[in-house]
């Protein structure tokens, strides 16, 4: 199984050289980022939180625990949405790109943890 890392999309643009597969995991395209900036990056918007959950969360730190629970429920209910990420991780390193400002309160952290748990489960 490959290592899964997360990174802000704006940092990635400055130095886009990464080993393995790179996925943008936001539902909305990040502001100020062109498609050319992310050439070779797969947009996995289906793996992002649902629109209603994203809006409810609003990146509020005091909602992060409840957001984590709700987002994990979405992923558990529709694991096929994250299957391309899991497939890539089975064959090498994966980088998940996100646009949120806070590196400690964002959906990419939850998605990374969920993917790592899926990797460790027997098939």
């Amino acid at each position: 199984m490959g290592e899964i890392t997360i990174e802000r999309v704006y940092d990635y643009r400055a130095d886009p050289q990464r080993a393995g597969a790179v996925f943008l995991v936001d539902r909305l395209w990040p502001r100020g980022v062109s498609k050319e900036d992310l050439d070779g990056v797969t947009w996995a918007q289906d793996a992002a939180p649902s629109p209603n959950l994203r809006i409810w969360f609003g990146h509020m730190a005091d909602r992060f625990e409840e957001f984590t629970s709700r987002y994990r429920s979405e992923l558990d209910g529709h694991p096929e949405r994250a299957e391309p990420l899991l497939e890539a991780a089975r064959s090498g390193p994966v980088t998940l790109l996100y646009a949120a400002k806070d590196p400690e309160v964002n959906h990419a952290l939850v998605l990374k943890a969920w993917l790592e748990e899926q990797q460790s489960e027997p098939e």
Side-chain angles (χ1 to χ4, degrees), residues 13-112:
R13 280 190 325 172
D15 180 22
Q17 302 305 314
R18 301 289 176 284
V22 182
F23 294 91
L24 173 63
V25 295
D26 284 351
R27 184 154 302 272
L28 303 176
W29 192 263
R31 291 182 182 183
V33 177
S34 71
K35 305 281 190 209
E36 292 77 29
D37 288 340
L38 298 184
D39 187 43
V41 173
T42 302
W43 188 11
Q45 67 189 110
D46 288 343
S50 66
N52 287 342
L53 181 57
R54 181 183 60 79
I55 291 167
W56 171 83
F57 174 42
H59 298 283
M60 294 181 192
D62 62 334
R63 292 184 176 179
F64 189 61
E65 186 176 339
E66 178 65 20
F67 167 79
T68 297
S69 175
R70 292 181 186 191
Y71 183 31
R72 291 177 70 84
S73 291
E74 286 186 357
L75 292 167
D76 289 340
H78 297 281
E80 70 279 2
R81 294 178 183 169
E83 187 58 32
L85 288 71
L86 281 170
E87 283 296 318
R90 289 184 183 112
S91 60
V94 169
T95 302
L96 306 178
L97 302 178
Y98 67 95
K101 292 179 184 176
D102 192 334
E104 296 179 18
V105 178
N106 66 71
H107 73 284
L109 290 168
V110 179
L111 179 58
K112 176 184 186 289

